[in-house]
Amino acid sequence: MMKTNSPLLDTLFLLRKEECITIFTDIQEISQKEEQDAADYFESEFEKERLEFLSDQINCDHKTAVWAAKVLYHSAQLYLIRENTAKDLNKLIPSFKGKRDVSAILSADLLLRFLPQIISVLQNADPEDTLIKMLENILRQFHYSGIGFDLDLENINWEEELKDKTYRKLYLERIVENKAYKLAEIPYINQLLIAEFGMYKEIFWKELKIISN
């Protein structure tokens, strides 16, 4: 594994390559150089993943990817390091201020796909932790990264949300991969899935109900 002198970058490399995370002894400031190095790293990782969705119209949103990296890195560190952090939570876990488009969603997903596991660990430690609500709000905004995790997504216009054909394809594939019944039984999504399965529904997802409007 690539080693750096940056806790942020070491965390990102380890998480992306081995799906595990290092907890440090304190929460350190993230430098501009670390942010730039992270942006460069995400560019290369995004290019690898773009091979899967075969679209040259979607580019890496570096700013959003770095924001997601900070959220994930700080939320993981906050699992153990909580002394004198309450006043800094909004700074450590900033809300998203950019444009939420397909590029932003897929760029954030490079890291936010790991957020449900962190939330689950925090819930086991203290269900009343205010950090949990903050992270759940982020995951509701970037719910593609939370497919399979129990989120309240009742107020979403799914036709509008899934109007981009590449994003729609990826969203449906992740629902199937995670056997996310709650999402798959939303009428609009259910119709899309059944249409995609065609005559092979019994092979792809035999147990899924066909929902009528």
Side-chain angles (χ1 to χ4, degrees):
M1 187 193 72
M2 189 175 182
K3 271 286 186 182
T4 75
N5 292 318
S6 161
L8 172 67
L9 294 175
D10 286 343
T11 298
L12 302 185
F13 293 149
L14 190 63
L15 189 59
R16 292 278 304 168
K17 299 301 181 188
E18 300 181 29
E19 296 193 10
C20 56
I21 202 161
T22 302
I23 305 295
F24 296 91
T25 54
D26 57 6
I27 299 175
Q28 300 177 18
E29 286 285 330
I30 297 170
S31 69
Q32 287 289 340
K33 184 179 186 307
E34 284 181 292
E35 289 192 20
Q36 184 55 56
D37 288 344
D40 294 341
Y41 172 64
F42 290 133
E43 178 72 43
S44 65
E45 291 294 287
F46 192 87
E47 287 303 312
K48 293 175 191 174
E49 297 207 356
R50 182 154 54 179
L51 296 174
E52 297 180 18
F53 52 84
L54 300 174
S55 172
D56 58 2
Q57 304 299 312
I58 303 172
N59 297 309
C60 182
D61 182 334
H62 301 97
K63 190 173 181 180
T64 299
V66 170
W67 164 79
K70 289 179 178 179
V71 167
L72 194 87
Y73 170 71
H74 286 141
S75 61
Q77 303 310 311
L78 286 165
Y79 170 58
L80 287 183
I81 306 167
R82 299 307 288 271
E83 188 175 356
N84 299 321
T85 59
K87 66 183 187 308
D88 296 322
L89 279 185
N90 287 324
K91 178 183 175 184
L92 294 169
I93 311 292
S95 58
F96 180 64
K97 299 286 198 290
K99 180 183 178 184
R100 184 187 171 278
D101 55 16
V102 174
S103 290
I105 291 167
L106 298 184
S107 298
D109 180 61
L110 292 169
L111 269 303
L112 293 188
R113 67 183 63 168
F114 302 106
L115 199 56
Q117 294 98 305
I118 292 176
I119 293 174
S120 295
V121 169
L122 290 167
Q123 286 174 331
N124 289 335
D126 179 9
E128 302 302 316
D129 190 344
T130 55
L131 177 59
I132 294 171
K133 292 299 181 188
M134 296 174 71
L135 298 179
E136 285 179 338
N137 286 337
I138 287 172
L139 210 52
R140 267 192 287 272
Q141 195 173 11
F142 289 87
H143 48 83
Y144 173 64
S145 298
I147 292 174
F149 189 72
D150 188 18
L151 291 170
D152 177 13
L153 301 175
E154 291 184 2
N155 296 320
I156 292 177
N157 178 335
W158 288 105
E159 289 189 50
E160 179 66 23
E161 175 70 21
L162 301 177
K163 65 182 180 182
D164 180 274
K165 64 180 182 180
T166 299
Y167 178 47
R168 182 169 64 244
K169 173 181 177 290
L170 292 170
Y171 205 100
L172 296 178
E173 286 176 351
R174 193 169 284 189
I175 287 174
V176 175
E177 179 185 343
N178 287 276
K179 291 294 186 284
Y181 281 92
K182 187 174 177 181
L183 284 169
E185 292 179 356
I186 292 171
Y188 179 71
I189 293 177
N190 189 264
Q191 289 173 12
L192 293 175
L193 286 170
I194 299 305
E196 286 291 325
F197 294 155
M199 62 188 293
Y200 299 104
K201 178 191 175 295
E202 296 296 297
I203 297 172
F204 285 115
W205 199 343
K206 181 178 180 179
E207 302 81 8
L208 180 64
K209 300 175 185 175
I210 299 177
I211 308 294
S212 57
N213 285 322

